[in-house]
Amino acid sequence: MIPAAFDYLKPSSLSEAVQAYAAAGEDAKLLAGGQSLLPILRLRLAYPELVVDLGGLAELTGVSDDGDAILIGAMTTHADIASDPLIKQHAPLIAQATETVADRQVRHRGTFGGSLAHADPAGDLPAVALALEAELRVHGPRGERSIAARDFFLDYLTTSMQPGEILTAIRVPKLGEGWSTHYEKLNRVAQAWSIVAVAAAVHRSNGTITEARIGLTNMGSTPLRATASEQALAGAPATEESVASASASAAEGTSPPSDLSAKADYRAHLATVLTRRAVRHAAGI
Amino acid sequence: MTAIDERRDTAADGPAPEIGKSRKRKEDAHLITGRTTWTDNMVLPGMVHLAILRSPMAHARITAIDVSAALSRPGVLAAYTGRDFADTQGSIPCAWPVTPDMVNPGHPSLAVDQVNHVGEAVAVVVARDKTAAQDALEAIDIDYEQLPVVLDMERALAPDADLVHGHTESNRSFTWIFESGAAGTGAPIEEVLGQAEVTLSRRFLQQRLIPAFMEPRSTVVQPDGEGFVMWSATQVPHILRTMLALTLSVPEHKVRVIAPDVGGGFGGKLQVTPEEVITALVARKLGKPAKYTESRSESLMSAHHGRDQIQDITITARRDGTVTGLDVHLYADMGAYLRLVSPGVPVLGAFMFNSIYKFDAYRFVCEGVFTTKTPTDAYRGAGRPEATFAIERIMDELAVELGMDRMELRRKNWIRHEEFPFTTVAGLTYDSGNYEAATDRALELFGWDDLVAEQADRRARRDPVQLGLGISTFTEMCGLAPSRVLGSLSYAAGGWENATIRMLATGKVEVVTGTSPHGQGHETAWSQIVADQLGVPFEDVEVIHGDTQSSPRGLDSYGSRSLVVGGIAIVNAAQKVVAKARRLAAHLLEASEDDLDFANGSFTVKGAPGNSKSMAELAFAVFSAHDLPEGMEPSLDADATFDPENFSFPHGTHLCALEVDTETGFSTIRRYVCVDDIGEVINPLIVEGQVHGGLAQGIAQALYEEAVYDDEGNLTTGSFVDYLLPSAADLPNFITDRTVSRSTTNPLGVKGVGEAGTIASTPAVVNAVVDALRPWGITDVQMPCTPERVWRAIAQGAEKSERDPGGTVSWGGASTSSSDGSGADDTFADGSGAGSTDSSEGSQR
Ligand SMILES: Cc1cc2nc3c(=O)[nH]c(=O)nc-3n(C[C@H](O)[C@H](O)[C@H](O)COP(=O)(O)OP(=O)(O)OC[C@H]3O[C@@H](n4cnc5c(N)ncnc54)[C@H](O)[C@@H]3O)c2cc1C
C-alpha cells in the first residue's frame, strides 16, 4: 500500500527538530527506523501532515559511559546495540533481548529509542527497560527532562512524553557485582513478536536471591513488573523449588490480551513458566 | 547432511552426460539480482494505473455506489463499478465442472450488486499514477446492506441455511462420488464395512492456507486493434489466453499473453483472476495501456486460498492389521465462487486416499460447499496433501488401536516392490516403486531405534520435553495429466505438452517449451536434457517460454507436470531433429543412415572415425542449403506434442523427530529425514531445492500457517504478522536422500518432484506431535499445531477439547465440533503430565 501524502523534514540539529516537531503539533510524526511507523502509514492507520526524520541527528546515536550508568542514544539501531561492547559489559540483558527482535533487516533499521517511544507492549525492549530501571531523557519545547521507565509507559502505544517531546537518550544503570540477567521469550517463528517474554535481573549473594527485577512483555497494555514474584524472591534461597514457587505468581495483577496468537489464560501460564526459566537462568540455578 | 550425488561418466570418449549433473541454475543470477523485467517493472508509453476498492463486508447487497467524488481527485482519469462492466465482464471461468449438475453461481470480476467475501473487488479507479489512483479510492461512496455471513460448511448445508447466492437452491455446489464396487475396481464398500473386525473413524481438519508467493500478482494490458497483449505474473499464460478470449469474447488470435519472469506461484497463479479481467476491460475501454499490481494485503485476502476441508475418515481392518476398507467423506470449502479449478482440487485427492496400501473396498464422497470467504483453488499438491495427511494420520491411529508398530502396519499393507505395476482400489495403475527400499534407507539415516529408546527414557522420566516420532510413507500422482483421464473427470482441457527445437545457423539451439517456469529452474534442466539429446554444449541452449506468440502451444506449469510431460515433449522433438540431421549427415558423408553412429553431437561413419559431421556443421549446411538430400526441406527444426499415457507416481518415506516442550506447548523439529523416489534425476541440486522448499511448506501447514476468519467473515490473518510463514531459522537441517525406481511410463524414467516435500511432510510432523502426546491420551491436535493448541491438549488430556482450542480463532478454515478418538494405553496415570508445571491450568484434568 501507499501512504497518504505528507511533508517531510530532515533536521540537522536537535533544536531544529524540537522546534519543527513542536510547531506542527498533533499533525506531525517523528521517524526513527520507520519499522513500526511505515507500516502504520502504508496501511493508512495514520495520516500525519508532516514527518520529521531524526536520521540526521548524529548526537542521538551511539552508546557512552556515564559513570554509574551507560547512556544509549535513542537513534542507536538494534544491530549496533546487539554488538556494542559497553552494553555487553554493563547491560547484557539489552543485547540479549535485542538479538531476538524480528530479523536482520529490521534490526539494521529499527532503533532502541523508537521501540521504547512506540510503547508496544509486545515489543521486547520496553520490559527490559523496566526491569533495568532505565531513565528516559526527552527534549521538548520546554527543555530537557528525565522520566523513569516505570512512569514512561502509560497504555497501549501511549507514553508520558508530552506533545512536542523527543526521546533523545536512555540512561541504564550499570548492574554491579552479584547481578546477572536473562531474557526468556516465546514466539512462534523466529521473526514473530513475543507471545510472552520475561526479562529478569537477579542479584544473588551466596545461596540467597537478594533482589529480583522482572519485566513482562505482552502481559497487559504496557510492559509490567512481576511484583508478586519479585517480592517472593527477595531473600529467598537460590533453589529450584523457591524459584518455582515464586514464579507461580508471575501473572498476578496482569491483564494479558487475548488475540490470534494466544488467549489470556495461556499467556498467564506462560508468564509463570518463562519467569521461572528466566530467573533460574539468571541466577545460575 | 545432504546427499547430492553427481553422476560421473567414466567413459573415456566425450564429456559426462548433462543429465545427473548438479548444474547451478542459469536463470538465478538475473532473477536474484533483479536484472529482469518483472511485470510490475513494465512501463509502456501513456500507461495508466489502476487501484481497486475491495469490499470490507463478507456478505452484503450494494444498495448505492457513487464514484463521482473520486473522479474529481487529482490525476484521476476514470472510475468504474461493476455496473459499468456488467454486460462485458462475463464470468471468471471454471474449467472443471466435476459433475453434470454442479452449481456454478457465476463469478463477476467486479461485483455488480452483491459482495460475497471480504476483499471482493467493487470499484476500480484509473489514474495517471498509482498513488493518485490509491488516494482516490477513499472518495468512493458505497452503501451496503448486510446479509448473514455463511462460514461453517456443515451449517451451510443445513436445510434452513442462509444462502451465499440467493439464486441457488442451496450452498451445495456438487457432490462427487467414487465407490469401488460400482467402479469395478474393488469390493462394494458397504459389504466390507459391514464385515469389519476393527472399525476406526476420525475427523481431520485441513485448515485454510494462503499460497503466499513471493511476487505479488501484477498485470499490464496493452490494447492492440481488436485485441490486446497482456503481461501477467501467471503460471498459465496459455490457459489464460484461451480463457480470456472466451470470457471477453475477443477472438483468441487477437490475444497475446506474456508471462515474463514470475516470482513463485505454488498454484496461486494457476488462475484467471478478476484483476486480470478488470485490467483488460479498463485498458480496452480507455484505449490505453493499463497496469494493476496488488499490495500484499490485497493478495492475502483476494488471491485464491487453498485446502480447507473437513475429512471424515473410516478405516476397517482385520485384527491382524490387514486393512480392508476405506470410507472417505469430505466437505470442501469452495469459498464464495468457483474459480478455474476450484471443484477439481478436492476431487484430485479421490485417487490418493488409499495411497500405497491395498484395500479391498474404497469410497470417496466429496461435497463442495459455498461460504462467504475467499474462493479456494489449487495450492501446492492440490488434493493430494489432503489425502496423504488423512491416510497417514489414520494409519497411526489404527496402529494404536490394534496395538501394532506403526511401521509394521504400513509394511503389512503396502504394495510390495515385486507387485508393480499395481492397479489400486481407486483405479490407478502405479507403474513402479519400492517402498521397502525407501523406508529402510530412511530408518537407517534417522537412527530410529536410538530415538525410540530416547522417547521411552523421556517418558519414564516424565521429562518436560517429550519426544515424538512421526512417519509418512506416501505416494502422489504427478505429471498432470493423460488427456483422456482429465476428460473422464470432466476437466475442460487436456494434459499434453508441446516443445519445439530450432537449430540456428551457428549450431546454437533454441528450445521453445509450453511449460511456464516461475522459479523452478526449467531453463537449466531443459538445457541439460537438450544438451544430452543433441550432443551440444549446455551453454549453447536457450530456453524460450511464457509468451503465447513465441511459444504458441502449451498447457503451462502445475501439478508436477513440467518435466514429466513437458520434458518428454522436448526429448521427442530432439529425436526428430536428430533423425533429420542423420539423413543430412548420411548424404554429406556419402554413407547409408544405418552406417552412422551418433555420439557426442557427431555422426560418424562406422569404422571410419575420421569421417564425421557435427550438429553444428549440419545446422550450417541446412542454413546454406547448398547441398541437401533430394526432397529434404532446409530445416532441422522439429516440434512434438506429448500426451502421457499414465501419471507418474513418486513416493518416499519421511520421518520426523520432534521435541514438545510440554510446559509451553512449543514444538521443535529435532531431526527430519526424507528418502524420496522420484525416478531418474536431471539435476540433483534443483531436486534438492524443490524438496527443501516443499518440506518448508508442508511443515508450515503442520505447525504455522492458518488463514483465519472472525465471526463476521473478516480475514484476521491479513498480513504476515498474523499469517505466519516460517523461515530457515525455524526449520531443521533436512537429511535427504533418494532411491531410484525408474518410471516406466516415459523415456527419461522421471516422475516429478515439485510437490513431494509438501505432500509428505505435513502428516510426518503432526504424527510426531501426536506421538509425543500419546501418554496424555491425546489422539489428535488440530493444525497448525500451535504452542497454545498443544498446551491446551495436554491441559485437557484425553478429555476431548472443543474445536478452536487456540487463539480467538473463530473460523480457522474448516470448522467442526469434535475430533474424536479413543485413548492410548500408556497414559500418564495420574494425568498430571510430564515434569513440573507451574500453573494449575497446565496440569488439571
Ligand atoms: C517485521 C517486523 C518484526 C518486528 N518484530 C519485533 C520484535 O520481535 N520485537 C520487537 O521488540 N520489535 C519488533 N519490531 C519492531 C522494531 O523493533 C521497531 O524497530 C520498533 O518498534 C520501532 O523502532 P523504529 O526505530 O523503527 O521506530 P519508528 O517506526 O520510526 O517509530 C515508531 C514510533 O515511535 C515514535 N518515535 C520514534 N523515535 C522517537 C523518538 N526518538 N522520540 C519520540 N518518538 C519517537 C515514532 O513517531 C513512531 O510513532 C518488528 C518490526 C517489524 C517491521
Side-chain angles (χ1 to χ4, degrees):
Chain A
M1 286 265 283
I2 300 166
F6 53 79
D7 288 332
Y8 172 83
L9 189 74
K10 189 172 182 179
S12 51
S13 75
L14 182 57
S15 57
E16 193 191 334
V18 167
Q19 204 174 14
Y21 183 48
E26 297 258 289
D27 298 330
K29 278 269 176 208
L30 297 175
L31 173 68
Q35 298 304 294
S36 297
L37 183 63
L38 290 196
I40 289 170
L41 299 186
R42 287 162 66 90
L43 293 170
R44 300 201 174 199
L45 300 174
Y47 292 77
E49 280 175 12
L50 174 69
V51 168
V52 180
D53 186 349
L54 303 178
L57 309 181
E59 64 262 53
L60 262 53
T61 63
V63 183
S64 56
D65 199 314
D66 194 29
D68 59 352
I70 53 172
L71 207 56
I72 305 173
M75 287 295 288
T76 313
T77 64
H78 297 313
D80 286 342
I81 297 258
S83 61
D84 186 89
L86 280 174
I87 288 183
K88 257 197 188 108
Q89 192 184 346
H90 299 295
L93 183 62
I94 297 179
Q96 195 196 3
T98 298
E99 271 166 8
T100 72
V101 169
D103 51 39
R104 276 168 199 277
Q105 287 90 329
V106 171
R107 290 196 295 273
H108 274 278
R109 290 241 165 226
T111 66
F112 190 50
S115 292
L116 299 179
H118 192 53
D120 186 335
D124 292 296
L125 301 165
V128 169
L130 201 61
L132 294 179
E133 305 192 336
E135 230 175 66
L136 293 92
R137 294 210 173 147
V138 301
H139 273 76
R142 277 171 304 203
E144 186 185 353
R145 65 185 180 114
S146 271
I147 309 172
R150 67 175 175 278
D151 301 324
F152 186 76
F153 304 103
L154 297 185
D155 201 349
Y156 183 71
L157 307 185
T158 310
T159 71
S160 56
M161 283 189 291
Q162 294 300 304
E165 283 185 332
I166 298 176
L167 176 63
T168 53
I170 298 90
R171 193 171 183 278
V172 183
K174 289 178 184 169
L175 289 176
E177 193 70 9
W179 281 94
S180 50
T181 60
H182 188 76
Y183 194 64
E184 187 75 26
K185 168 168 173 170
L186 190 100
N187 55 356
R188 286 187 54 204
V189 296
Q191 86 277 17
W193 295 79
S194 292
I195 295 175
V196 172
V198 175
V202 178
H203 187 268
R204 196 181 151 161
S205 103
N206 300 324
T208 305
I209 292 173
T210 37
E211 187 181 350
R213 302 174 188 166
I214 299 164
L216 302 174
T217 295
N218 219 3
M219 287 296 291
S221 60
T222 64
L224 296 170
R225 290 277 288 261
T227 324
S229 293
E230 290 180 354
Q231 283 164 0
L233 284 166
T239 61
E240 230 178 284
E241 296 70 37
S242 67
V243 172
S245 92
S247 303
S249 54
E252 236 170 62
T254 65
S255 47
S258 275
D259 55 30
L260 269 183
S261 51
K263 281 186 186 157
D265 62 333
Y266 175 55
R267 283 202 161 89
H269 165 76
L270 284 179
T272 65
V273 175
L274 301 182
T275 296
R276 169 166 51 84
R277 291 182 182 179
V279 171
R280 280 180 56 179
H281 230 283
I285 299 167
Chain B
M1 190 208 88
T2 283
I4 299 176
D5 53 344
E6 196 151 330
R7 228 200 289 163
R8 303 238 172 256
D9 191 355
T10 44
D13 54 339
E18 279 293 334
I19 290 188
K21 264 193 200 169
S22 283
R23 280 266 181 202
K24 288 200 177 146
R25 308 198 322 174
K26 52 160 81 172
E27 51 271 74
D28 278 353
H30 70 267
L31 292 179
I32 290 168
T33 58
R35 276 166 224 255
T36 179
T37 308
W38 305 105
T39 304
D40 190 46
N41 298 140
M42 296 278 311
V43 178
L44 299 178
M47 188 170 76
V48 299
H49 297 260
L50 271 53
I52 292 176
L53 186 68
R54 297 184 178 276
S55 172
M57 316 283 282
H59 203 202
R61 256 188 285 282
I62 300 172
T63 52
I65 181 161
D66 181 4
V67 298
S68 53
L71 285 170
S72 59
R73 290 291 187 97
V76 172
L77 303 171
Y80 303 108
T81 69
R83 282 260 160 260
D84 297 308
F85 294 123
D87 299 332
T88 49
Q89 67 179 347
S91 169
I92 292 295
C94 175
W96 208 328
V98 289
T99 60
D101 60 352
M102 179 187 87
V103 175
N104 182 353
H107 183 350
S109 289
L110 209 49
V112 179
D113 41 32
Q114 184 170 317
V115 290
N116 297 307
H117 67 89
V118 165
E120 186 166 356
V122 289
V124 55
V125 170
V126 190
R128 282 187 218 289
D129 59 58
K130 177 154 185 163
T131 318
Q134 192 75 45
D135 282 343
L137 290 183
E138 290 173 357
I140 296 174
D141 208 14
I142 307 188
D143 292 338
Y144 291 103
E145 180 190 313
Q146 208 165 334
L147 296 169
V149 295
V150 180
L151 299 168
D152 182 302
M153 283 192 271
E154 286 176 297
R155 280 188 228 160
L157 291 179
D160 57 344
D162 295 311
L163 292 178
V164 178
H165 302 279
H167 62 283
T168 61
E169 276 171 27
S170 78
N171 291 315
R172 182 191 317 274
S173 174
F174 62 88
T175 303
W176 194 94
I177 300 171
F178 176 91
E179 199 274 312
S180 57
T185 55
I189 185 74
E190 289 297 349
E191 217 168 84
V192 171
L193 294 178
Q195 294 163 1
E197 291 176 15
V198 180
T199 303
L200 189 73
S201 296
R202 285 284 191 277
R203 166 165 280 202
F204 298 124
L205 301 180
Q206 293 283 329
Q207 77 269 37
R208 197 172 254 262
L209 299 174
I210 302 182
F213 30 74
M214 192 180 293
E215 180 203 14
R217 297 171 306 159
S218 179
T219 300
V220 172
V221 175
Q222 166 87 286
D224 184 10
E226 271 180 75
F228 59 90
V229 183
M230 174 183 285
W231 290 260
S232 195
T234 179
Q235 294 173 231
V236 290
H238 297 92
I239 292 174
L240 184 56
R241 178 201 200 189
T242 303
M243 290 299 171
L244 285 172
L246 295 172
T247 304
L248 298 173
S249 302
V250 180
E252 190 177 359
H253 60 301
K254 303 293 182 189
V255 178
R256 175 182 174 193
V257 175
I258 301 170
D261 280 326
V262 174
F266 309 121
K269 292 172 182 167
L270 163 49
Q271 194 54 270
V272 177
T273 69
E275 293 79 7
E276 285 162 338
V277 171
I278 291 168
T279 311
L281 288 167
V282 168
R284 282 160 62 75
K285 188 148 192 148
L286 294 175
K288 287 178 196 298
K291 183 200 283 183
Y292 169 76
T293 301
E294 69 183 355
S295 68
R296 183 62 72 181
S297 316
E298 289 180 283
S299 190
L300 292 175
M301 67 181 166
S302 68
H304 73 244
H305 293 175
R307 313 263 149 82
D308 205 344
Q309 294 181 355
I310 298 172
Q311 310 178 309
D312 288 309
I313 314 288
T314 296
I315 192 169
T316 60
R318 289 200 279 274
R319 289 242 170 269
D320 70 356
T322 308
V323 296
T324 54
L326 184 65
D327 194 12
V328 173
H329 181 279
L330 302 184
Y331 295 107
D333 193 345
M334 299 290 103
Y337 298 106
L338 302 182
R339 285 199 179 161
L340 190 62
V341 295
S342 305
V345 169
V347 168
L348 265 182
F351 305 94
M352 283 285 116
F353 277 86
N354 52 300
S355 188
I356 62 173
Y357 309 112
K358 295 178 282 189
F359 286 95
D360 300 332
Y362 171 52
R363 175 165 59 194
F364 172 94
V365 178
C366 174
E367 300 185 66
V369 186
F370 293 114
T371 60
T372 51
K373 299 186 204 169
T374 301
T376 60
D377 206 309
Y379 175 50
R380 202 169 188 175
R384 291 153 293 160
E386 297 91 316
T388 303
F389 179 83
I391 186 68
E392 287 306 295
R393 281 286 299 113
I394 206 154
M395 286 303 273
D396 263 28
E397 298 303 311
L398 181 63
V400 170
E401 178 77 22
L402 294 169
M404 253 179 103
D405 177 78
R406 290 172 288 162
M407 196 60 101
E408 251 349 281
L409 179 69
R410 287 170 167 86
R411 274 186 202 278
K412 190 176 180 68
N413 287 291
W414 71 40
I415 302 158
R416 293 190 311 275
H417 70 274
E418 67 272 15
E419 292 178 290
F420 288 95
F422 184 92
T423 300
T424 73
V425 74
L428 291 181
T429 301
Y430 297 177
D431 63 330
S432 68
N434 189 333
Y435 309 139
E436 299 91 327
T439 300
D440 291 346
R441 179 72 183 132
L443 289 171
E444 181 187 326
L445 288 170
F446 194 63
W448 178 268
D449 294 341
D450 291 348
L451 288 164
V452 168
E454 183 185 327
Q455 178 184 58
D457 175 57
R458 285 181 188 267
R459 282 185 181 172
R461 285 192 288 119
R462 304 213 168 174
D463 191 31
V465 178
Q466 288 289 313
L467 186 66
L469 307 180
I471 301 173
S472 170
T473 51
F474 85 107
T475 190
E476 55 164 328
M477 53 202 257
C478 280
L480 303 186
S483 297
R484 67 183 166 81
V485 176
L486 291 176
S488 72
L489 295 174
S490 314
Y491 184 54
W496 48 265
E497 195 46 78
N498 181 263
T500 303
I501 294 184
R502 301 198 290 242
M503 297 300 302
L504 305 184
T506 54
K508 310 292 183 196
V509 185
E510 286 178 342
V511 180
V512 181
T513 176
T515 64
S516 197
H518 41 284
Q520 295 90 339
H522 294 177
E523 292 177 28
T524 303
W526 288 193
S527 297
Q528 289 179 267
I529 293 172
V530 171
D532 277 0
Q533 290 288 329
L534 300 182
V536 298
F538 169 81
E539 294 76 14
D540 285 1
V541 184
E542 182 74 13
V543 178
I544 294 166
H545 60 80
D547 180 343
T548 60
Q549 199 164 74
S550 59
S551 124
R553 278 169 54 72
L555 285 168
D556 310 312
S557 289
Y558 45 85
S560 302
R561 71 185 305 274
S562 295
L563 173 61
V564 186
V565 190
I568 306 310
I570 290 171
V571 170
N572 291 351
Q575 286 173 355
K576 290 185 189 176
V577 170
V578 172
K580 289 187 186 184
R582 179 181 291 272
R583 185 174 169 210
L584 176 57
H587 171 75
L588 295 175
L589 294 168
E590 298 178 345
S592 117
E593 286 187 39
D594 296 340
D595 284 341
L596 297 183
D597 283 332
F598 179 61
N600 303 321
S602 275
F603 291 93
T604 313
V605 181
K606 281 181 184 140
N611 219 2
S612 70
K613 286 284 173 198
S614 69
M615 279 307 276
E617 288 172 302
L618 296 167
F620 194 78
V622 151
F623 170 70
S624 61
H626 296 164
D627 182 12
L628 301 181
E630 198 53 41
M632 180 175 176
E633 58 179 4
S635 167
L636 296 178
D637 300 355
D639 76 350
T641 304
F642 176 69
D643 196 348
E645 278 173 18
N646 194 359
F647 297 96
S648 62
F649 300 95
H651 69 82
T653 297
H654 288 223
L655 301 174
C656 175
L658 175 143
E659 289 179 1
V660 176
D661 178 340
T662 60
E663 293 180 339
T664 62
F666 193 86
S667 299
T668 310
I669 296 179
R670 162 96 163 267
R671 188 173 303 165
Y672 196 98
V673 166
C674 63
V675 177
D676 285 295
D677 192 325
I678 55 163
E680 294 290 347
V681 166
I682 307 299
N683 182 322
L685 190 59
I686 290 180
V687 163
E688 196 69 7
Q690 289 292 316
V691 169
H692 280 219
L695 292 176
Q697 238 160 348
I699 291 169
Q701 174 170 14
L703 297 179
Y704 306 117
E705 294 185 31
E706 178 171 34
V708 179
Y709 284 83
D710 69 13
D711 54 12
E712 290 175 353
N714 298 303
L715 179 69
T716 52
T717 49
S719 83
F720 286 151
V721 173
D722 295 311
Y723 190 83
L724 282 192
L725 301 172
S727 68
D730 304 297
L731 298 166
N733 198 12
F734 301 122
I735 302 171
T736 67
D737 202 354
R738 291 191 306 275
T739 54
V740 179
S741 316
R742 279 182 68 91
S743 167
T744 62
T745 62
N746 65 67
L748 290 176
V750 296
K751 299 181 182 175
V753 70
E755 296 161 305
T758 310
I759 292 172
S761 57
T762 310
V765 174
V766 176
N767 276 340
V769 172
V770 175
D771 185 49
L773 304 181
R774 291 271 181 212
W776 284 268
I778 288 161
T779 58
D780 196 22
V781 177
Q782 190 180 318
M783 292 191 291
C785 304
T786 64
E788 181 170 16
R789 283 189 177 138
V790 169
W791 172 74
R792 277 189 205 284
I794 293 172
Q796 291 161 6
E799 283 171 39
K800 282 304 110 196
S801 53
E802 292 295 293
R803 79 163 292 280
D804 169 28
T808 52
V809 175
S810 291
W811 306 103
S815 65
T816 182
S817 54
S818 73
S819 166
D820 201 14
S822 61
D825 286 336
D826 54 342
T827 51
F828 287 168
D830 60 3
S832 69
S836 61
T837 42
D838 291 317
S839 101
S840 54
E841 295 98 317
S843 54
Q844 271 171 7
R845 269 306 275 276

